[in-house]
Amino acid sequence: MNNAYDGSRDMRRAIDRLARRLPEPLEDLAWISYNYLWSWTPGGSELFRSIDNYRFVQAGQNPVRFLLNLPERDLLRAATDRNLLVRLGELAERMEQSLARPTNHVVSSGSVAFFCAEFGIHPSLPVYSGGLGVLAGDYLKETSDQALDVVGMGLLYRRGYLHQRMDLSGWQHEFWIEVNTDQLPAVRVRGADGLPVRITVPVWEGELAAHVWRVDVGRTPLFLLDAGLEENSPLERWVTSRLYEGSPEIRLAQYALLGIGGVRALDAMGITPGLFHLNEGHPALASLEIASRVAKSRGGDAEGLAALLAEGRERFVFTTHTPVPAGNETYDPEQFFSVLGRSVDEMGLSREQLSAQSRVDEGAADEPLGFSPLAIRCSSSTNAVSQRHGEVARAMWNPLFADKTVDDVPITHITNAVHLPTWMAPSMRRLLTTFLGANWERHTSDPALWRQIDEIPDVDLWQARCALRQQLVEMVRRQVVVDRLARGEDVALAESAFDAFDPNLLTIGFARRLATYKRLDLLFYDVDRLRTIIDHEQGAQFIVAGKAHPLDNDAKEVARNMFTVKRGLDLPNRVAFLEDYDLSVAPTLVAGCDLWLNLPRPPLEASGTSGMKAALNGSLNLSVLDGWWCEGYDGQNGWAIDGSVTDNPQLQDEHDAKALYDLLEHEVKPLFFTRDANGIPVGWLARVRSSLRSLGPMFSSQRMINDYVEQIYRPGRPY
Ligand SMILES: *Cc1c(COP(=O)(O)O)cnc(C)c1O
């Protein structure tokens, strides 16, 4: 991008400011700190940690905050550390090379603007809640790795997503922490006049104003809109305060800012996207802004909205992530227009026509309004996020295409995947580099590459797995002591965690948003059978984590019930609940578990991605055949529970819990604990190899981005 007012100049100014605080030999740390590329470049995280691990963690792994708060003497010490300077030079060179590559244009008409309500890039940028955000973050990172011209658009939630604290009974409490924007690796974008770029969107009775922040995710800029401005009213400021706010009115205002404001912000920065990618329905109102521009270019005649949307359609593609009607948020029309009526009026669009376009049945005046129907209608392509989700989505949205049979509904799928350099632990990456060659990460979608996994000797693979489990156990020990003390457990019990959790046990993980359909409760369905599985010298230990949405009392109840069962088991250090699950915990957890569980009620898991992250680290999956696992499971590379849909949920739970315990007791445990003379579980490792071989090429984001470019972005468009 050559435009001078897209924040790149502001970024350079911020970097210069930080560089002036650093001793000369460390100056490169300034620009490195302002580009999240460091977080997935080999040696990046290690470099900051070796300056002062404790302070780096205290700074939330935010390098800008870390450097701004590091005492002068520590900076001077680092500046004379030869070894550190050599590693700094290597990191800078790797990053420079990545940033200097020529751009690979996706389509010739301009960059792809990827709009999403959340982005999970790094723990230090708390604008994500779970899978959707992490997927969006992985997407941006992979577009940078492939040098594609993509920009991200989202919101800067100043209080981010909730933090979790459990009380003694296991009931979840929430709190929020405000981020200090001055110390984020982000800059406020300024225009030609030197003032912050400012856009407005009419919301409620006023003009909601927002500034734009720029965050560099490798070569891909992420722009975040921020309504936390003095000129806004307290209510207006609240719009970018918290992610997935409980009030539908606030959410509507958020999605208006994201969709309408996002298009205006790009315009104000001089960026004209060739394509808008709506990731989930939240930003769908972007289509109105484009429609109104089409209308205005005609002198504002009273053309129908449907026709205007049809004209803008070539510029929109939509990815749906939600397999149930209830997951596709809808709004009462009166509420909708009390928040957004003026916006719609000022764009010269008709409220009635917008209502019709936002309903499944255009003519049903009593049907609430939703963003998914609007997004489907305004986009030239709609895709689901796994093959099975594609089937579910075609059936679900068939009513929008009344003249078509289910199979002909024009919704395809691009199966989700994860960013390998982010999710494969550094030690695994090094191991694979040894056996797959120095440049293996450039072609991770090539199955032939992954066949070389067979060349890794058992002993090396097993050592790598044991080291990852050991790191996880150490993290769990430290964190569980603190969690228990914080909720007021007995000091002795809290302290017992510090040398409990065993690095030699079969370690089983379950961590993700606590929504009831994820069925964490299946794990605790039959206490006696659970005890049989864990209470043994060669037993298992469970590590569980996840947050419930503040208003989801059913999910909170599931967590509380787990605490009750845990207490009853009387084996306090064989089941750990890690509080406040987020991106600072996830990499260690997915890498360190031997077995990763996913137990959704089918067909409600659109894709699921945490199991892919685990697989990349040589962990094995045991999952219900739903979402990605229908494509991933081949009979040899993990374990599966039947994924058919029934109309009797109680029976299904009973059946699935039994299947889970049977597999754990009769297959997983014996395979893990059957060892050869050297203590190596040869049969287990054969399965690990088969998992890496088969899942590596399919579920690394390189494959996913290739699919988006070839199947969604380019067909029918010049490039
Ligand atoms: C990957 C990830 C998720 C998604 O997990 P699923 O099993 O796909 O639901 C949620 N939260 C965090 C922090 C993640 O990294």
Side-chain angles (χ1 to χ4, degrees):
M1 236 177 309
N2 301 317
N3 194 288
Y5 301 106
D6 60 3
S8 40
R9 289 181 350 157
D10 309 292
M11 192 57 88
R12 278 196 296 278
R13 250 182 248 127
I15 290 166
D16 287 345
R17 257 198 318 277
L18 179 57
R20 282 198 293 278
R21 291 195 72 255
L22 301 175
E24 199 266 346
L26 297 181
E27 268 179 10
D28 277 340
L29 278 179
W31 67 266
I32 290 173
S33 299
Y34 272 97
N35 192 323
Y36 276 112
L37 179 56
W38 68 265
S39 69
W40 74 90
T41 303
S45 184
E46 291 87 341
L47 187 78
F48 290 111
R49 287 175 186 276
S50 64
I51 296 174
D52 188 332
N53 184 49
Y54 180 77
R55 282 177 187 273
F56 187 59
V57 173
Q58 286 298 101
Q61 299 177 50
N62 169 351
V64 172
R65 187 171 152 201
F66 170 65
L67 292 175
L68 285 173
N69 293 299
L70 199 64
E72 175 97 26
R73 73 184 135 75
D74 292 332
L75 283 172
L76 292 173
R77 183 175 41 77
T80 55
D81 178 340
R82 285 268 191 81
N83 174 283
L84 188 130
L85 295 179
V86 169
R87 287 186 290 133
L88 171 58
E90 286 167 1
L91 176 66
E93 193 180 314
R94 282 204 180 104
M95 287 176 61
E96 266 162 0
Q97 275 174 7
S98 173
L99 298 172
R101 289 168 301 153
T103 300
N104 177 4
H105 293 284
V106 180
V107 290
S108 61
S109 50
S111 48
V112 175
F114 184 84
F115 279 50
C116 190
E118 51 168 316
F119 286 92
I121 312 275
H122 189 260
S124 59
L125 189 65
V127 296
Y128 65 92
S129 79
L132 178 70
V134 176
L135 180 85
D138 281 4
Y139 168 97
L140 293 188
K141 291 171 183 174
E142 184 64 39
T143 61
S144 168
D145 289 350
Q146 298 195 24
L148 299 172
D149 51 344
V150 170
V151 303
M153 180 59 72
L155 300 178
L156 182 70
Y157 307 96
R158 284 169 169 253
R159 290 178 180 81
Y161 195 55
L162 70 94
H163 290 277
Q164 175 189 56
R165 201 28 100 195
M166 311 303 270
D167 67 20
L168 269 176
S169 77
W171 190 252
Q172 171 183 300
H173 300 262
E174 300 91 24
F175 62 99
W176 283 262
I177 299 174
E178 183 151 359
V179 321
N180 180 352
T181 48
D182 290 341
Q183 298 194 345
L184 280 181
V187 292
R188 215 183 278 263
V189 177
R190 289 170 190 277
D193 53 6
L195 296 174
V197 165
R198 173 181 175 275
I199 55 105
T200 60
V201 178
V203 170
W204 291 295
E205 300 306 318
E207 290 291 319
L208 177 67
H211 287 175
V212 192
W213 293 78
R214 176 183 173 120
V215 177
D216 279 336
V217 185
R219 308 163 50 102
T220 303
L222 167 62
F223 297 106
L224 298 172
L225 300 172
D226 172 19
L229 311 182
E230 193 68 38
E231 65 174 295
N232 283 330
S233 73
L235 171 63
E236 288 167 338
R237 261 176 255 156
W238 194 255
V239 171
T240 52
S241 186
R242 307 199 302 205
L243 177 56
Y244 300 136
E245 188 58 63
S247 148
E249 274 193 56
I250 302 281
R251 286 201 305 276
L252 274 170
Q254 292 180 327
Y255 303 150
L257 180 61
L258 173 62
I260 302 167
V263 177
R264 293 179 183 176
L266 289 174
D267 205 38
M269 292 186 289
I271 299 170
T272 314
L275 205 55
F276 294 94
H277 185 162
L278 308 174
N279 195 42
E280 192 57 312
H282 310 119
L285 296 171
S287 65
L288 302 188
E289 176 67 12
I290 297 297
S292 90
R293 288 174 189 208
V294 173
K296 280 176 188 150
S297 72
R298 305 267 161 73
D301 71 4
E303 238 171 317
L305 180 61
L308 292 172
L309 291 180
E311 277 199 55
R313 257 169 69 181
E314 272 317 301
R315 297 184 65 194
F316 283 91
V317 299
F318 171 45
T319 300
T320 172
H321 293 260
T322 322
V324 270
N328 291 273
E329 236 168 79
T330 56
Y331 303 90
D332 167 61
E334 201 173 315
Q335 186 173 47
F336 186 96
F337 289 109
S338 76
V339 182
L340 293 177
R342 281 183 43 250
S343 249
V344 176
D345 299 345
E346 285 185 23
M347 283 189 281
L349 305 172
S350 136
R351 294 186 185 197
E352 286 67 37
Q353 289 176 5
L354 173 58
S355 301
Q357 295 298 306
S358 307
R359 291 182 173 119
V360 176
D361 177 355
E362 292 184 40
D366 55 349
E367 191 188 311
L369 313 184
F371 289 139
S372 295
L374 179 64
I376 291 173
R377 288 196 178 96
C378 79
S379 300
S380 55
S381 140
T382 296
N383 72 278
V385 291
S386 72
Q387 188 177 343
R388 183 169 192 187
H389 179 220
E391 289 159 21
V392 171
R394 282 189 288 280
M396 188 164 107
W397 297 113
N398 199 358
L400 271 168
F401 303 91
D403 57 333
K404 294 199 156 60
T405 62
V406 179
D407 291 339
D408 291 332
V409 169
I411 298 179
T412 56
H413 75 273
I414 302 288
T415 304
N416 282 345
V418 298
H419 185 242
L420 183 145
T422 297
W423 290 106
M424 188 182 275
S427 57
M428 272 307 268
R429 282 173 86 183
R430 284 194 295 270
L431 180 68
L432 266 63
T433 302
T434 306
F435 291 93
L436 273 55
N439 292 326
W440 74 277
E441 287 185 19
R442 295 207 193 130
H443 25 93
T444 55
S445 53
D446 175 8
L449 173 87
W450 292 88
R451 284 199 281 277
Q452 299 172 69
I453 291 285
D454 288 348
E455 285 158 30
I456 306 178
D458 275 346
V459 57
D460 295 273
L461 190 55
W462 185 236
Q463 267 175 11
R465 288 298 316 151
C466 290
L468 291 171
R469 189 185 319 104
Q470 177 79 38
Q471 282 166 19
L472 169 61
V473 163
E474 283 165 18
M475 181 184 82
V476 171
R477 287 174 169 180
R478 280 193 306 270
Q479 196 183 317
V480 168
V481 175
V482 175
D483 285 350
R484 285 182 183 169
L485 289 172
R487 62 176 174 257
E489 299 268 17
D490 200 60
V491 173
L493 174 71
E495 239 231 330
S496 77
F498 196 66
D499 39 29
F501 300 106
D502 189 334
N504 299 307
L505 293 181
L506 167 65
T507 303
I508 304 178
F510 181 109
R512 49 182 60 84
R513 274 183 313 116
L514 291 184
T516 48
Y517 82 87
K518 303 265 193 187
R519 294 197 299 179
L520 170 62
D521 44 344
L522 287 198
L523 219 53
F524 303 94
Y525 199 87
D526 184 333
V527 184
D528 293 330
R529 290 203 69 184
L530 180 60
R531 190 192 305 277
T532 311
I533 289 160
I534 61 179
D535 189 10
H536 195 280
E537 229 175 286
Q538 298 195 330
Q541 59 194 350
F542 286 88
I543 302 177
V544 178
K547 299 171 181 174
H549 188 277
L551 298 181
D552 190 350
N553 283 333
D554 291 342
K556 290 186 180 180
E557 208 54 77
V558 169
R560 175 150 68 187
N561 188 40
M562 171 186 67
F563 270 63
T564 310
V565 173
K566 232 158 81 72
R567 244 174 251 284
L569 274 171
D570 223 22
L571 289 160
N573 297 328
R574 286 280 165 103
V575 182
F577 182 80
L578 293 183
E579 292 187 16
D580 208 24
Y581 185 56
D582 67 8
L583 281 178
S584 63
V585 179
T588 311
L589 188 51
V590 295
C593 288
D594 300 293
L595 186 76
W596 193 256
L597 296 179
N598 196 13
L599 307 166
R601 180 182 307 291
L604 301 188
E605 185 78 308
S607 166
T609 49
S610 60
M612 306 171 188
K613 302 168 189 168
L616 287 180
N617 289 286
S619 167
L620 293 176
N621 278 276
L622 190 172
S623 168
V624 169
L625 278 171
D626 196 14
W628 79 287
W629 197 228
C630 298
E631 288 154 77
Y633 179 62
D634 67 4
Q636 311 293 319
N637 58 0
W639 290 273
I641 294 172
D642 176 32
S644 37
V645 177
T646 70
D647 45 17
N648 187 335
Q650 264 107 22
L651 250 168
Q652 188 176 40
D653 287 354
E654 192 183 318
H655 170 269
D656 292 355
K658 181 172 181 306
L660 169 67
Y661 293 126
D662 284 348
L663 284 172
L664 290 178
E665 198 176 330
H666 304 309
E667 298 202 30
V668 177
K669 257 177 71 175
L671 194 63
F672 185 81
F673 285 109
T674 302
R675 307 288 167 92
D676 72 2
N678 301 315
I680 293 176
V682 176
W684 181 272
L685 290 181
R687 222 169 249 247
V688 168
R689 278 209 185 76
S690 136
S691 164
L692 279 163
R693 240 181 4 238
S694 57
L695 305 176
M698 284 171 84
F699 300 104
S700 308
S701 53
Q702 207 170 82
R703 190 274 306 150
M704 174 177 77
I705 297 296
N706 291 343
D707 285 355
Y708 271 107
V709 171
E710 301 304 332
Q711 297 173 32
I712 304 290
Y713 298 155
R714 282 186 174 164
R717 295 185 181 92
Y719 55 88

